Structure formats: structure tokens, C-alpha cells
């Protein structure tokens, strides 16, 4: 797209809203019962007999800085802070959101300081959160939760929950959501500074305000940030930022994708990969997420986009599927592109996020499986699925966009509810090194901690909820010997809400 036309389109905001704002403009509840009150009643009843649900209860206040109880030894070469983000404020005034993705974001920080680990947790003080906190009730409708007499929404940032991921950019933290701007916070205090103007200090000025900026940016080995923003209209905005968070280039592509849900993407050293899943909208169903269906006859489209120009270069069609998350992509000198996906063959995992808010664990979700793809220059492709369940894939940070030897993921081994294990897969040999926490734990995303560029070195770090004691623990593994279990386990005296994604920021 010509730059002048791009800027004109961005300034007008045409078709770039990432959520259908019309659905949030104070619609009345059509049922005689308050669906959010019913959701709370159902969850509370289920929680009384299913203690494993405690991680989805949410929080009502921040967590002050607290020292953890250490088992084992903290590695001396881990210096910095581990941050996690997730939906945490699910309930107000006897109402409970209908979908897990709707809750207000809370940042969990685990500070490594002088041989100790300290935890603090703080809600992201978005405009929405502050207004509802003051009112003591929900004021805005969510994608699947309609509030009677809800306040009107003029921009996605009016309802920005900043609840999905957290990255470090030029000394600050950016809390990320799917549908609006990043929200900047202090790395030390978690104090919220406000929404980020992605055009600041660049030629784009204020023209990028309020655009969708996905929760899964890719940071390449040089520190550059690549991302996309998706609109249900089918428009996708592509971003290239430098390591300081200053936008270098933006472009928009128009697709025919109408599935509403696009969560993650990939980069190689030359290209951006946007994978359009086999999702369609059923307009007869209520709610934004509730209307998303899986179409087993709809191939996935893989869009290959040039990183220099942010323009579409090639398109592949592969077998139907749906993935929340992708691990990595890389390409050979001859142009063959390889990538992996945590692939589902339906959309039940998305709807499970609604069922769990009512305390229903019997959702019948078939687990995702690591699926390897090769896209060949002649237009053909190859697909291979690995054994075992897998999601929340992570790689060594120095390998983003280039060939990686190992892929880390969480999975389900002994239980079907959430995750109970972590593993490292050798992408060359297929060998899996795995640790199973067991039925007493609910396991969250684990991330590799790099000590140098050698993938065989370093650690794996992640949190887990211990159901019997209702406490959260932080666990540290040797990356090359995970089956031996954590070398350090640090216990909180309480549990924190189960979250989505996080990153470790090394001390400079």
C-alpha cells in the first residue's frame, strides 16, 4: 500500500477496530436473569467441591512485596525479575465475567535480589479498571459479557484490560492485550504510566493511536520488535519497532479471513508468517468468542510477508487446524520455511475458557499437539505431528527467527484439566526430556532463561499452583536436565491467579 494511502486509512481508523465496538455499546441483557450473576453462582458452587478451580477465582486486591520460602538453591547466575501477566479481576458486585479472557490484567513480579526471591502483584491501572474500581461494579460490557446499561465504547482502549502478556521495552514494561495499545508500567514498582502511543518519536505521530497491537510480539536477536494487529474485518496491520520501541515501519494488508480470532504469529530472518486458522463466525450464537466455530473443511492460510517492505509475497494453503500459539520459524537458503504450531483440530479449547468461568471442567477438550510444517518453494508443504500434548511453546530467546534445537512446552500427562507437566523437545532427534508435576499441581507457562547463546545452557522457570495447600510456587530447572525436577522451588504463602504469558528481564 502506498504510504500516503496507508496514513490516510490509519488516520480514519477504517476497519481497524480489533473488537466489534457495536457489541459493547450498552446493550441490555435479553434474559430475565443476569447471566454474570448466574456465572458467579455456578462457579462458587463448583469451587466448594473442586479445589483445583481456586486458580480461576481471581483477585480483588494487589499483593505487597513478600519473600518466598526457598527449597534448594537459587542459581547465582539468575539476576533480574520474572514477570507474568494474566486476567485476574473476574468478579465485581456479585457478577462474574462469562469468559476467562475478559478479566482485568494483573502483573506478577518475582524479583531475584541478593540470594532471595520476592513476589509482588499489581493490577494494571487501565482507564477501565480505575473507573470500575471506583464504581465498585462492572461498567463496560466484554466480548461475551453484556452489562445492562453499559457505558458506550468509542475506542478499544476504553475497554483495554492489558491482561495477556508482558515485555520489557527500553527500561519499561509493556502490558499487552489483543485488541488495543500496549500499557506502559514501571519495571520496579509496577506503577502504570498509561497507554503507549506507537507513533511517538516516529514519522507516524498520533496516527497509530488505538490500533490493535497483539499480545505476542516477536523480539529478534538484535532486539527489534515485530508484531501485528488484527481486525475482524480481515485487515491486519504489521509493525516493525526498534529495540527502544520506536516504530520504524507500518503496513496494512487486507485478507478475507472472517474467523475473528488471531492470537499469534511467527517470524524468520526474512519473513513474517501470519497463519489464518480454520475459524468462522456463527452469527446465530451470542457473544464474541461464543460465535467462533471451527470449520473442518476450511484450510489454514499461511501468509508469507516480506519483513523489509511488510508486503505479502506468497500464500500457502495447509490442512485445517487452529492454534493459539506457535513456537518458532526459520528458513533455509533455498527458501524452504519451517515452523511449528500447537495445533488443535477444533475450537473447543477457546470455549473451554467460558466453561471454566462457570466451574465446568468437563469440556471435552482434545489437547493440542506440536505439529511441524515445512513450506517448499514449489508451493507444496509437509506436516508432521509429534506425540503427546503441548501448548505454551517457548524457545531460547537468541533463536527467534532462526533454527532452534529445542522447544519447551507445557502439557497434560496425568490430568485433562489444564496442564501438569513441562517438557523440552529436541527438534532434530525428537527426544523429549519431561517432568511431570502430578495431579496436585496446576502448571502454568514455563520460559527458558538464557545465560549465554548456547541452548544447552541456562534454565527453565515457571509457576505452578499446589492444590492441597492453595499456594503458588516458582520452579527453576536446569534446561538440559528437566526430568530430574526443579533445582529450586520457591513458595509463596498464598496462591495467585493463573495467568497467561510472561518473560524474564535480566538485571543490567
Amino acid at each position: 500500500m502506498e504510504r500516503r494511502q496507508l496514513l490516510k486509512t490509519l488516520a480514519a481508523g477504517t476497519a481497524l477496530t480489533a473488537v466489534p465496538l457495536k457489541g459493547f455499546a450498552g446493550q441490555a441483557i435479553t434474559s430475565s436473569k443476569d447471566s454474570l450473576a448466574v456465572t458467579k453462582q455456578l462457579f462458587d458452587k463448583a469451587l466448594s467441591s473442586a479445589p483445583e478451580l481456586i486458580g480461576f477465582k481471581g483477585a480483588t486486591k494487589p499483593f505487597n512485596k513478600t519473600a518466598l520460602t526457598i527449597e534448594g538453591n537459587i542459581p547465582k547466575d539468575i539476576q533480574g525479575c520474572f514477570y507474568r501477566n494474566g486476567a485476574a479481576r473476574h468478579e465485581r458486585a456479585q457478577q462474574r465475567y462469562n469468559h476467562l479472557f475478559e478479566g482485568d490484567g494483573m502483573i506478577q513480579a518475582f524479583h531475584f535480589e541478593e540470594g532471595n526471591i520476592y513476589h509482588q502483584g499489581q493490577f494494571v491501572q487501565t482507564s477501565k479498571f480505575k473507573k470500575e474500581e471506583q464504581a465498585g461494579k462492572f461498567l463496560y460490557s466484554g466480548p461475551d459479557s453484556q452489562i445492562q446499561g453499559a457505558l458506550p465504547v468509542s475506542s478499544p482502549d476504553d475497554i483495554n484490560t492489558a491482561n495477556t502478556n508482558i515485555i520489557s521495552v527500553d527500561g519499561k514494561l509493556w502490558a499487552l492485550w489483543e485488541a488495543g495499545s500496549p500499557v506502559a508500567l514501571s519495571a520496579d514498582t509496577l506503577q502504570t504510566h498509561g497507554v503507549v502511543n506507537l507513533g511517538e518519536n516516529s514519522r507516524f505521530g498520533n496516527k497509530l493511536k488505538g490500533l490493535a497491537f497483539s499480545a505476542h510480539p516477536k523480539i529478534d536477536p538484535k532486539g527489534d520488535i515485530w508484531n501485528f494487529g488484527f481486525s475482524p474485518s480481515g485487515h491486519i496491520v504489521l509493525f516493525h519497532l526498534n529495540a527502544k520501541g520506536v516504530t520504524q515501519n507500518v503496513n496494512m494488508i487486507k485478507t478475507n479471513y472472517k474467523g475473528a480470532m488471531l492470537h499469534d504469529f511467527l517470524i524468520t530472518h526474512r519473513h513474517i508468517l501470519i497463519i489464518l486458522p480454520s475459524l468462522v463466525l456463527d452469527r446465530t450464537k451470542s457473544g464474541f468468542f461464543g460465535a467462533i466455530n471451527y470449520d473442518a473443511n476450511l484450510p489454514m492460510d499461511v501468509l508469507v510477508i516480506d519483513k523489509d517492505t511488510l508486503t505479502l509475497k506468497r500464500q500457502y494453503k495447509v490442512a485445517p487446524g487452529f492454534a493459539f500459539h506457535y513456537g518458532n520459524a526459520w528458513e533455509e537458503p533455498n527458501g524452504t520455511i519451517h515452523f511449528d504450531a500447537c495445533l488443535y483440530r477444533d475450537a473447543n479449547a477457546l470455549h473451554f475458557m467460558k466453561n471454566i468461568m462457570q466451574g465446568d471442567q468437563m469440556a471435552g477438550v482434545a489437547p493440542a499437539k506440536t505439529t511441524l510444517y515445512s513450506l517448499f518453494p514449489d508451493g507444496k508443504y509437509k506436516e508432521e505431528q509429534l506425540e503427546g500434548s503441548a501448548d505454551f511453546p517457548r524457545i531460547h530467546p537468541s533463536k527467534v527467527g532462526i533454527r532452534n534445537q529445542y522447544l519447551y512446552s507445557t502439557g497434560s500427562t496425568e490430568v485433562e484439566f489444564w496442564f501438569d507437566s513441562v517438557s523440552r523437545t529436541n527438534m532434530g532427534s525428537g527426544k523429549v526430556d519431561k517432568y511431570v508435576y502430578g495431579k496436585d499441581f496446576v502448571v502454568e507457562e514455563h520460559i527458558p532463561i538464557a545465560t549465554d547463546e548456547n541452548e544447552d545452557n541456562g534454565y527453565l522457570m515457571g509457576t505452578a499452583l499446589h492444590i492441597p495447600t492453595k499456594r503458588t510456587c516458582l520452579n527453576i530447572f536446569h534446561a538440559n536436565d528437566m526430568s530430574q525436577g526443579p533445582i529450586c522451588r520457591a513458595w509463596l504463602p498464598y496462591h495467585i491467579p493463573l495467568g497467561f504469558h510472561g518473560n524474564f528481564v535480566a538485571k543490567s
Side-chain angles (χ1 to χ4, degrees):
M1 177 184 290
E2 186 185 73
R3 178 171 174 264
R4 180 181 299 175
Q5 181 59 39
L6 168 66
L7 295 178
K8 181 179 179 181
T9 305
L10 294 176
T14 304
L16 294 177
T17 301
V19 290
L21 299 182
K22 184 179 179 181
F24 295 82
Q27 293 181 2
I29 298 172
T30 56
S31 170
S32 59
K33 290 186 177 181
D34 180 349
S35 68
L36 277 70
V38 172
T39 294
K40 177 169 170 53
Q41 293 164 9
L42 291 171
F43 181 83
D44 289 346
K45 181 179 180 180
L47 180 60
S48 65
S49 59
E52 61 269 27
L53 291 171
I54 191 66
F56 299 98
K57 174 67 176 176
T60 59
K61 59 183 180 180
F63 297 94
N64 295 325
K65 195 169 184 179
T66 301
L68 279 65
T69 301
I70 308 299
E71 294 179 0
N73 297 305
I74 304 171
K76 290 183 170 53
D77 49 354
I78 296 181
Q79 299 288 330
C81 189
F82 176 39
Y83 299 98
R84 284 189 53 74
N85 193 359
R89 189 59 179 266
H90 302 303
E91 300 179 0
R92 291 184 187 274
Q94 300 304 306
Q95 291 185 314
R96 179 175 172 85
Y97 280 130
N98 287 328
H99 201 284
L100 184 62
F101 290 169
E102 297 178 302
D104 295 288
M106 183 180 228
I107 308 304
Q108 314 293 344
F110 295 87
H111 302 276
F112 287 72
E113 298 177 3
E114 299 179 352
N116 294 303
I117 303 174
Y118 299 89
H119 169 259
Q120 67 179 127
Q122 180 60 259
F123 287 105
V124 184
Q125 302 290 307
T126 63
S127 171
K128 170 190 177 296
F129 178 85
K130 289 189 291 186
K131 288 179 181 178
E132 293 183 337
E133 189 77 353
Q134 184 176 7
K137 63 180 181 179
F138 293 131
L139 299 176
Y140 294 95
S141 292
D144 277 16
S145 297
Q146 294 299 311
I147 307 297
Q148 190 166 12
L151 295 179
V153 177
S154 60
S155 164
D157 283 334
D158 289 346
I159 51 171
N160 191 335
T161 52
N163 67 4
T164 310
N165 200 357
I166 185 88
I167 63 172
S168 176
V169 181
D170 196 29
K172 288 188 174 64
L173 301 176
W174 285 10
L176 304 176
W177 184 46
E178 295 290 83
S181 306
V183 178
L185 300 92
S186 165
D188 295 326
T189 65
L190 303 184
Q191 176 185 357
T192 301
H193 296 296
V195 295
V196 175
N197 177 4
L198 291 168
E200 188 174 8
N201 299 320
S202 78
R203 67 181 184 273
F204 299 102
N206 293 326
K207 294 183 174 65
L208 308 182
K209 279 189 172 182
L211 291 185
F213 189 80
S214 99
H216 281 284
K218 305 304 175 190
I219 303 176
D220 68 25
K222 297 186 301 180
D224 282 18
I225 302 167
W226 304 84
N227 207 359
F228 75 97
F230 172 70
S231 164
S233 67
H235 291 78
I236 297 175
V237 182
L238 303 165
F239 299 92
H240 174 206
L241 288 67
N242 66 18
K244 292 185 175 295
V246 178
T247 299
Q248 306 298 292
N249 196 11
V250 178
N251 198 19
M252 182 174 68
I253 59 175
K254 177 70 170 70
T255 75
N256 293 319
Y257 175 62
K258 302 293 185 180
M261 182 74 181
L262 191 62
H263 186 69
D264 198 1
F265 78 117
L266 291 160
I267 63 171
T268 72
H269 73 284
R270 295 176 54 205
H271 293 105
I272 295 170
L273 302 184
I274 302 287
I275 298 97
L276 305 179
S278 305
L279 300 179
V280 294
L281 285 179
D282 182 349
R283 300 292 185 182
T284 67
K285 295 184 177 180
S286 61
F288 179 72
F289 297 119
I292 298 174
N293 275 2
Y294 181 80
D295 185 344
N297 297 311
L298 180 64
M300 292 196 296
D301 281 330
V302 183
L303 310 182
V304 181
I305 297 158
D306 183 82
K307 287 171 73 174
D308 290 333
T309 62
L310 301 184
T311 56
L312 181 64
K313 291 299 181 184
R314 190 157 191 184
Q315 192 165 343
Y316 291 81
K317 288 189 180 296
V318 301
F322 164 61
F324 279 115
H325 304 118
Y326 303 93
N328 194 32
W330 58 279
E331 57 187 292
E332 299 180 36
N334 68 359
T336 299
I337 297 174
H338 304 274
F339 71 93
D340 63 88
C342 291
L343 195 72
Y344 295 90
R345 296 297 185 183
D346 55 40
N348 290 338
L350 176 63
H351 302 306
F352 171 78
M353 307 294 180
K354 179 175 182 177
N355 297 337
I356 201 68
M357 293 298 281
Q358 299 180 353
D360 180 10
Q361 303 174 51
M362 306 303 291
V365 177
K369 292 183 177 292
T370 298
T371 306
L372 311 180
Y373 292 88
S374 296
L375 308 177
F376 300 109
D378 63 1
K380 297 180 181 179
Y381 80 97
K382 180 177 73 174
E383 174 185 330
E384 176 187 2
Q385 195 163 86
L386 304 184
E387 293 296 323
S389 66
D391 211 329
F392 292 103
R394 298 297 297 255
I395 64 166
H396 191 285
S398 71
K399 303 301 179 183
V400 174
I402 59 178
R403 187 170 188 171
N404 56 298
Q405 184 175 0
Y406 299 113
L407 179 71
Y408 300 86
S409 59
T410 58
S412 300
T413 303
E414 297 180 358
V415 297
E416 294 183 359
F417 168 72
W418 217 244
F419 304 106
D420 68 353
S421 58
V422 291
S423 62
R424 182 176 84 161
T425 301
N426 186 312
M427 303 301 282
S429 67
K431 181 180 178 181
V432 177
D433 186 19
K434 184 175 186 179
Y435 176 76
V436 180
Y437 278 82
K439 296 180 179 179
D440 285 342
F441 288 88
V442 181
V443 177
E444 300 186 89
E445 175 194 58
H446 283 46
I447 67 167
I449 309 298
T451 53
D452 54 39
E453 293 188 5
N454 188 340
E455 287 186 82
D456 282 310
N457 298 332
Y459 306 94
L460 189 74
M461 180 183 299
T463 45
L465 169 61
H466 187 237
I467 299 167
T469 62
K470 298 180 181 179
R471 293 186 298 162
T472 296
C473 56
L474 178 67
N475 307 272
I476 304 172
F477 300 79
H478 277 305
N480 61 3
D481 197 8
M482 289 171 47
S483 60
Q484 296 303 307
I487 58 174
C488 178
R489 177 166 282 169
W491 289 94
L492 285 163
Y494 44 78
H495 76 275
I496 56 178
L498 294 169
F500 297 133
H501 300 289
N503 285 287
F504 183 80
V505 180
K507 187 176 181 179
S508 56

